[in-house]
Amino acid sequence: MTGFLDKAYQARDATSTRALYDDWATSYEAEVAENGYATPGRCAEALQKYVTDLSAPILDFGCGTGLSGLALKLAGFEVIDGVDLSAEMLEGAHAKGVYRHLDQIVAGGALPRDDYSAMAAIGVIGAGAAPIDVLHTLMRALHKGGRLVFSFNDHALEDPANEAGVAAWTDCGAGRLLFKEHGDHLPGIDLKSNVYVLEKA
């Protein structure tokens, strides 16, 4: 079953992306589960290694139906806020019962809160989803010493602009790469992803 996965990695504007994810909301979890969606768990476990206070609020950016929030909760994070473009996806996230706050955002808009020392953008940046600008927005919003976990699947890695976005932080010393690992993303369709943890200097 790859009804929406076939469409998910095609480039589109923010309005079309929101519409796609609204339409996908009811079948999203079944489709990614059938294909063994591994990146949320990998990201949550990676971030947990570098966060000392698991009770501090964390932002799950592009939280979708809440699979990423659930993974963060299972990794021990206690206070999780979520934001997403799609109101339909947010309904699914609300049903998980793992979020303190859930907010619908607009592409390129400000974050509802900026008091986070840890953030996650799991399966968010890449072709057909959010642009690399999201990485810069989140890194700028982080407190000094804050950590951001994010992932680029193999489609995102085909675009050199994405890893160049990481280098824009690490090469000048504004950020430090704590973790990078290539592994399973959606093994059911033989798709892998890189998981990264960046620290803001």
Side-chain angles (χ1 to χ4, degrees):
M1 181 172 66
T2 58
F4 280 92
L5 282 173
D6 289 339
K7 304 171 187 173
Y9 305 119
Q10 300 165 13
R12 65 181 67 81
D13 62 21
T15 301
S16 301
T17 297
R18 185 174 63 247
L20 173 78
Y21 282 90
D22 280 344
D23 291 344
W24 196 4
T26 55
S27 62
Y28 173 81
E29 291 193 18
E31 190 168 344
V32 296
E34 184 172 290
N35 288 288
Y37 192 27
T39 296
R42 291 177 56 220
C43 284
E45 289 168 16
L47 183 62
Q48 192 262 352
K49 295 174 186 174
Y50 298 100
V51 171
T52 53
D53 183 4
L54 295 178
S55 68
I58 180 171
L59 177 66
D60 181 10
F61 184 93
C63 64
T65 61
L67 293 178
S68 46
L70 197 56
L72 291 165
K73 193 76 165 180
L74 290 171
F77 293 93
E78 297 172 21
V79 183
I80 307 166
D81 293 344
V83 297
D84 201 272
L85 293 177
S86 166
E88 299 292 334
M89 287 278 187
L90 286 168
E91 285 185 18
H94 181 74
K96 297 287 186 300
V98 299
Y99 292 97
R100 177 182 66 169
H101 299 296
L102 284 166
D103 294 282
Q104 186 176 8
I105 56 170
V106 297
L111 298 175
R113 296 163 201 85
D114 61 0
D115 58 337
Y116 301 104
S117 57
M119 296 184 184
I122 300 172
V124 169
I125 300 168
I132 191 61
D133 290 353
V134 164
L135 174 73
H136 305 312
T137 297
L138 297 179
M139 285 295 290
R140 284 193 292 266
L142 268 180
H143 294 174
K144 183 177 180 180
R147 280 79 192 263
L148 170 68
V149 67
F150 58 98
S151 62
F152 295 155
N153 66 35
D154 286 340
H155 295 299
L157 290 169
E158 290 170 1
D159 183 349
N162 290 323
E163 288 221 295
V166 181
W169 287 89
T170 58
D171 287 357
C172 68
R176 189 161 64 100
L177 185 62
L178 303 178
F179 180 90
K180 177 181 176 182
E181 179 187 71
H182 195 239
D184 284 342
H185 178 60
L186 289 164
I189 56 172
D190 196 28
L191 192 64
K192 295 184 180 295
S193 64
N194 273 355
V195 167
Y196 307 77
V197 179
L198 263 182
E199 178 183 56
K200 185 172 181 178

